[in-house]
Amino acid sequence: MSKQLVLMDHDGGVDDYLATMLLMTMDHIQPLGIVVTPADCYAEPAVSATRKILDLMECSHIPVAQSTVRGINPFPRLYRRDSFVVDHLPILNQSETIRTSLVAQTGQDFMIQVLREAPEPVTLMVTGPLTTVAIALEKAPDIEAKIQKIVWMGGALNVGGNVEKSWEPGQDGSAEWNVYWDPISAAQVWQTQIEIIMCPLDLTNNVPVTSDIVYKMGRQRQYPISDLAGQCYALVIPQDYYFWDVLATAYLAHPEFYQLREWETEIITTGLSQGRTKIVSGGRKIYAMDKVDKEAFYAYILQQWAR
Ligand SMILES: [Ca+2]
């Protein structure tokens, strides 16, 4: 059986590194590269940490590219700082040199090239804003035909968003961060015919990062990857943290853990609700992950990181 081609586009949050670590364990997937979109991070440590993680996972043949797109509403500094912390974790700094290459071209140009050269359509695994995808599509509309589907962590359908009103003025709390960073790009992707399977807050709100699961990662810390995952989650445990990007990414390996539901939606790009993914009759059809077998998911990630 041929492997499923996947290009990942993450935005450098703690969860994004963990999603990358999970993707690298999937035997039936052939990762074509990793693009880092500079959203929930500072770009340089995020790119550096990503390359070091690929080294640790013995995936240094997979190229990393730095996207240079811009957002509209920056992520809080408190979240973005984590990219420096992860980049400095001892387990990622056992060698003075990084083997995984950083490609010379921008992440958006790399995305265009990878899609054009792919022998068959590619799944885009996106765990940050859709800006790099939108810019790539704008520069090279022909690549739409090479995108099999987009699996995306983003949006909030029937629950509130996660952009807190007390932190961010001028919005009503309905937006999810990956949309809010750049609602215009999300709306542009909504204009395409590409199949979108999203993992919204409606689902992730039910799958918290609990002390119990983090302790379980610790109890198998003889495995370096489980140890690293546990350290990363320990870093964010004081926040209200959920399996956002990791839950979305696990879908690639085990779609049978999930129930999908179709919705008609639109992206609100202006005003108080900018960044909202609103259910609207007659709107753009998308699939949302609606339910997940939580126990199977927790068991799966523990098993995959036991290496
Ligand atoms: Ca992310």
Side-chain angles (χ1 to χ4, degrees), residues 139-167:
K139 283 182 85 169
D142 57 287
I143 61 174
E144 181 171 337
K146 296 298 288 288
I147 301 173
Q148 190 191 56
K149 61 179 182 286
I150 299 175
V151 178
W152 180 49
M153 192 281 126
L157 296 170
N158 295 296
V159 295
N162 60 358
V163 179
E164 288 188 37
K165 276 196 269 191
S166 55
W167 287 25

Side-chain angles (χ1 to χ4, degrees), residues 10-13 15-16 40 127-128 178 245:
H10 81 58
D11 74 329
D15 209 20
D16 295 275
D40 186 12
T127 57
N178 285 341
D245 300 350

Side-chain angles (χ1 to χ4, degrees), residues 9-17 19 37 39-40 75 126-129 153 176 178 241 244-246:
D9 174 354
H10 81 58
D11 74 329
V14 170
D15 209 20
D16 295 275
Y17 305 119
T37 293
D40 186 12
F75 272 81
V126 183
T127 57
M153 192 281 126
E176 184 279 325
N178 285 341
Y241 217 83
W244 293 294
D245 300 350
V246 172

